[in-house]
Amino acid sequence: VELVESGGGSVQNGGSLRLSCTASGFTFDDSDMGWYRQTQGNECELVGSFSSPDHTYYDDSVKGRFTIAQDNAKNTVSLQMTNLKPEDTAVYYCAAGQASLFKLLVPCRTLYSGMNYWGKGTRVTVSS
């Protein structure tokens, strides 16, 4: 089983980035997907999750700026980030499990009931 994130990097305040997560080794269609982020050694906070186009969740801090999309044909989930701010600077992790059980705040890469897999993360830096 593997979740591999890509697309991180450095961007100016107000810029955009698109993160991708490619999954392998499990039935992607049966999994909900989520994106977490970790700032400065803190716990991971849930940025957003995707169960279906009609069932998504976004943290208030990213609503209207970030969009999650899942492509079952390609086994990928993306996080489109626009109007990035310095406070979005973090390591972003892809996760798979049951979205209704995703914890809003959790030690990064911790497995628990409803959380099955984590990626290794990709760093995003937003400069002012």
Side-chain angles (χ1 to χ4, degrees), residues 2-3 8 13 26 29 31 33 37 39 61-62 72 78 80 100 107 122:
E2 196 171 32
L3 294 175
N13 187 25
F26 65 99
D29 299 20
S31 281
M33 301 300 294
R37 66 185 179 187
T39 58
S61 65
V62 305
N72 289 337
S78 62
Q80 179 67 50
S100 61
T122 186

Side-chain angles (χ1 to χ4, degrees), residues 15-127:
S16 299
L17 277 176
R18 181 184 176 90
L19 306 183
S20 291
C21 172
T22 302
S24 62
F26 65 99
T27 306
F28 187 75
D29 299 20
D30 292 342
S31 281
D32 300 333
M33 301 300 294
W35 286 94
Y36 281 83
R37 66 185 179 187
Q38 180 187 34
T39 58
Q40 291 288 358
N42 294 322
E43 290 187 315
C44 267
E45 62 174 349
L46 181 63
V47 173
S49 65
F50 183 100
S51 297
S52 71
D54 295 329
H55 293 87
T56 58
Y57 162 85
Y58 295 98
D59 184 80
D60 285 345
S61 65
V62 305
K63 275 181 182 176
R65 300 189 297 122
F66 290 13
T67 303
I68 296 175
Q70 185 165 333
D71 186 338
N72 289 337
K74 297 181 179 180
N75 279 15
T76 60
V77 61
S78 62
L79 179 66
Q80 179 67 50
M81 305 185 293
T82 63
N83 191 21
L84 282 161
K85 305 175 182 180
E87 52 264 41
D88 294 319
T89 295
V91 177
Y92 284 74
Y93 295 89
C94 173
Q98 185 175 342
S100 61
L101 298 179
F102 285 174
K103 296 182 180 181
L104 298 182
L105 200 63
V106 65
C108 295
R109 307 192 73 204
T110 298
L111 299 179
Y112 55 89
S113 179
M115 175 57 68
N116 298 327
Y117 311 113
W118 288 82
K120 294 183 178 180
T122 186
R123 183 174 297 277
V124 172
T125 303
V126 185
S127 56

